[in-house]
Amino acid sequence: MVTVPVVIVIALLLGGTHDSGAPTSATPSGSARPLAPVTVAAPPANPAAIGPCTKLLAVLPIALDGLPSRPALSSSTFAVAWGDPAIVLRCGVPRPSGLVPGSSAFTTGVNGVFYWVDRDSVKGATVFTVIDRAVYIEVTVPSTYGGGPLAPISTAVSKALPAVCIVPGTDATQPAAGILCTDRP
């Protein structure tokens, strides 16, 4: 059902607005200015992502650690952005290419949600991909935010989606214990 994601995206966009109807960001002088839309590449079409991504969008914060939401121009309803420069979340992305059995790449856990961490020097950002839920969720955080506000995103992910696999080296009592995150498509 496409209506629910569209309504959620509209609510996210309108939730971070002021009287002008456009999200704003404070300038160094303290005055507010509208945040321009940010173009976001759509994740590939994946019917299996519709349910989990719809659930996630329903619980994502409208403001992210004080950063207002901003329009995310995408052919997908599963793309959300906050702040300037934009922190971008895309739900239903493909598995990170380096996430393979035996990989020694860096993962991190935030509030019980596990992320694959990839530094993107071209974009000047860090890409955090949720790897232990029914869908992969990518959060691109510009370097100006450091580690970024992953805590409120992790809280929303935990609320909307149960863990479906384990990350090596973590608690094996999670749901579906024994299924490594690398065993999923």
Side-chain angles (χ1 to χ4, degrees), residues 14 52 68 70 76 103 123 135-136 151 159 169-170:
L14 295 177
R70 69 185 290 177
S76 170
S103 171
K123 293 181 182 177
V135 293
Y136 294 106
K159 184 176 180 179
T170 64

Side-chain angles (χ1 to χ4, degrees), residues 84-87 118-128 139-149:
D84 186 17
I87 293 174
D118 184 24
R119 310 254 188 267
D120 187 336
S121 59
V122 174
K123 293 181 182 177
T126 301
V127 179
F128 297 90
V139 182
T140 302
V141 180
S143 58
T144 56
Y145 296 113

Side-chain angles (χ1 to χ4, degrees), residues 16 22-26 33-38 67-71 82-84:
T24 59
S25 175
R33 62 177 171 79
L35 287 175
V38 61
L67 300 172
S69 62
R70 69 185 290 177
W82 299 269
D84 186 17

Side-chain angles (χ1 to χ4, degrees), residues 43-143:
N46 178 359
I50 294 171
C53 291
T54 301
K55 288 179 184 177
L56 176 61
L57 264 62
V59 298
L60 281 172
I62 292 172
L64 186 64
D65 275 358
L67 300 172
S69 62
R70 69 185 290 177
L73 301 177
S74 179
S75 60
S76 170
T77 57
F78 302 132
V80 181
W82 299 269
D84 186 17
I87 293 174
V88 175
L89 180 143
R90 297 184 321 137
C91 187
V93 298
R95 177 178 64 197
S97 61
L99 182 60
V100 295
S103 171
S104 62
F106 182 67
T107 59
T108 188
V110 178
N111 293 346
V113 175
F114 287 88
Y115 293 87
W116 173 267
V117 182
D118 184 24
R119 310 254 188 267
D120 187 336
S121 59
V122 174
K123 293 181 182 177
T126 301
V127 179
F128 297 90
T129 305
V130 174
I131 59 173
D132 64 342
R133 306 299 151 146
V135 293
Y136 294 106
I137 303 158
E138 179 184 274
V139 182
T140 302
V141 180
S143 58

